[in-house]
């Protein structure tokens, strides 16, 4: 399938705000390439690096590339594309009033999903996180160690491969928190990697949801690929609009989105979480940590753990 790729050259500080702007414009997927995510990653001598740092040598290490994708069904004419770029320029100018946005340069091109995925193969290798989780792309064979929890995942049009700090922190927390038989809700599931992780570490039932139809399709494929379709289902829509959620009270809710959405969920997720249940939230830049913590505390949550990696924060809280 063909997509219009729109690339914005920006800085780490503006990633969250631009991500929200992309979603508001109706993009079908967002890709974030921030060299700091790689350079600041903790090095474990027993782990595989997921990228060769030589690939960064000719890049501006202070510049973030954010790419959003629109299907040709969404943008049918050059005029449609110009309108999207114009709106994006307006959003960047507005964000620049509050945050450093870098050059804000916008580039457009057309890509095919197959070409996009194949281009990423040179970057993506098996890697470990948490205590036993091993994430492996489907085209690579690797030896497993006793106790490994293997997750097969390829880069695709939906966010979430485990390499980004927000995703990896959520996965590690799920490994620690999920108990056998638990009910887990994965809100804004993207590729489905967090829900798959929950299923792999013992959850009895997992329900993922996303507003992006493409993400739902990708997540469903990944669920089957990882042989957890007897545990995990994926639905399209908002939390409060999905029949599968009605009357359910989860042991754990995980949401790796953006700070503003987490703040909203702090109030709305409670009917779907047991008293004493765990809420794992990430996608939060450090500058918004206090805002999210305030919202959680005001809505009856107790913050029990906060992790930081690079520019990102992951918060584990308990509903009192």
């Amino acid at each position: 399938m063909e997509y219009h790729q729109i690339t914005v050259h920006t800085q780490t500080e503006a990633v969250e705000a631009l991500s929200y702007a992309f979603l508001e414009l109706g993009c079908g997927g967002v890709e974030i390439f921030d060299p700091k995510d790689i350079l600041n990653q903790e090095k474990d001598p027993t782990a595989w690096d997921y990228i060769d740092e030589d690939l960064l040598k000719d890049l501006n290490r202070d510049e973030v590339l954010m790419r959003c994708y629109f299907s040709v069904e969404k943008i049918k004419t050059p005029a449609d594309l110009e309108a999207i770029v114009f709106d994006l320029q307006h959003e960047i100018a507005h964000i620049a009033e509050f945050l450093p946005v870098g050059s804000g340069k916008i580039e457009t091109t057309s890509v095919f999903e197959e070409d996009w995925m194949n281009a990423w193969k040179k970057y993506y290798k098996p890697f470990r996180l948490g205590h036993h989780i091993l994430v492996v792309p489907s085209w690579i064979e690797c030896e497993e160690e006793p106790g490994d929890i293997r997750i097969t995942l390829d880069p695709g049009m939906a966010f979430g491969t485990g390499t980004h700090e927000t995703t990896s922190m959520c996965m590690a927390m799920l490994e620690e928190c999920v108990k056998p038989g638990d009910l887990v809700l994965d809100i804004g599931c993207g590729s489905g990697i967090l829900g798959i992780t929950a299923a792999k570490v013992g959850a009895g039932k997992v329900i993922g949801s996303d507003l992006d139809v493409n993400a739902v399709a990708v997540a469903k494929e990944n669920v089957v690929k990882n042989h957890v379709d007897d545990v995990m289902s994926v639905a399209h829509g908002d939390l409060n609009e999905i029949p599968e959620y009605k009357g359910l009270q989860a042991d754990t809710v995980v949401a790796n989105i953006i700070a503003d959405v987490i703040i909203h969920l702090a109030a709305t997720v409670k009917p779907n979480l047991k008293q004493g249940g765990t809420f794992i939230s990430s996608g939060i830049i450090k500058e918004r940590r206090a805002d999210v913590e305030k919202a959680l505390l005001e809505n009856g949550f107790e913050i029990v753990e906060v992790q930081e990696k690079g520019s990102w924060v992951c918060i584990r809280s308990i509903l009192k």
Side-chain angles (χ1 to χ4, degrees), residues 71-236:
S71 71
V72 291
E73 297 172 352
K74 174 75 174 179
I75 298 181
K76 297 180 180 180
T77 67
D80 292 338
L81 181 59
E82 289 179 6
I84 290 288
V85 171
F86 178 82
D87 289 342
L88 187 55
Q89 289 172 330
H90 177 77
E91 291 295 334
I92 292 171
H94 176 66
I95 294 168
E97 297 177 10
F98 308 95
L99 297 168
V101 298
S103 70
K105 178 182 176 182
I106 299 175
E107 298 172 331
T108 64
T109 188
S110 295
V111 297
F112 287 90
E113 185 171 0
E114 182 178 354
D115 296 336
W116 184 89
M117 293 174 67
N118 288 335
W120 268 92
K121 287 186 177 181
K122 66 181 179 180
Y123 296 98
Y124 197 75
K125 299 177 182 179
F127 65 97
R128 297 181 179 275
L129 54 85
H131 296 294
H132 300 289
I133 297 173
L134 173 64
V135 183
V136 185
S138 61
W139 64 86
I140 292 179
E141 294 293 331
C142 69
E143 293 185 5
E144 297 181 32
E145 298 178 1
D148 275 350
I149 300 169
R150 178 171 177 149
I151 297 175
T152 301
L153 203 75
D154 297 340
M157 298 303 292
F159 176 78
T161 58
T163 57
H164 196 274
E165 284 118 329
T166 59
T167 311
S168 64
M169 286 189 289
C170 287
M171 293 172 72
M173 282 194 183
L174 285 167
E175 185 183 11
E176 291 285 344
C177 297
V178 174
K179 300 181 293 296
D182 276 0
L183 169 61
V184 178
L185 306 183
D186 179 5
I187 300 174
C189 64
S191 68
I193 188 171
L194 298 181
I196 292 168
T197 299
K200 290 271 189 174
V201 300
K205 183 175 182 180
V206 181
I207 301 175
S209 65
D210 205 289
L211 297 175
D212 180 2
V213 176
N214 180 71
V216 170
V218 170
K220 287 181 176 180
E221 291 176 2
N222 287 330
V223 166
V224 173
K225 186 184 299 181
N226 282 276
H227 310 292
V228 294
D229 46 309
D230 59 332
V231 176
M232 182 174 177
S233 61
V234 184
H236 173 251

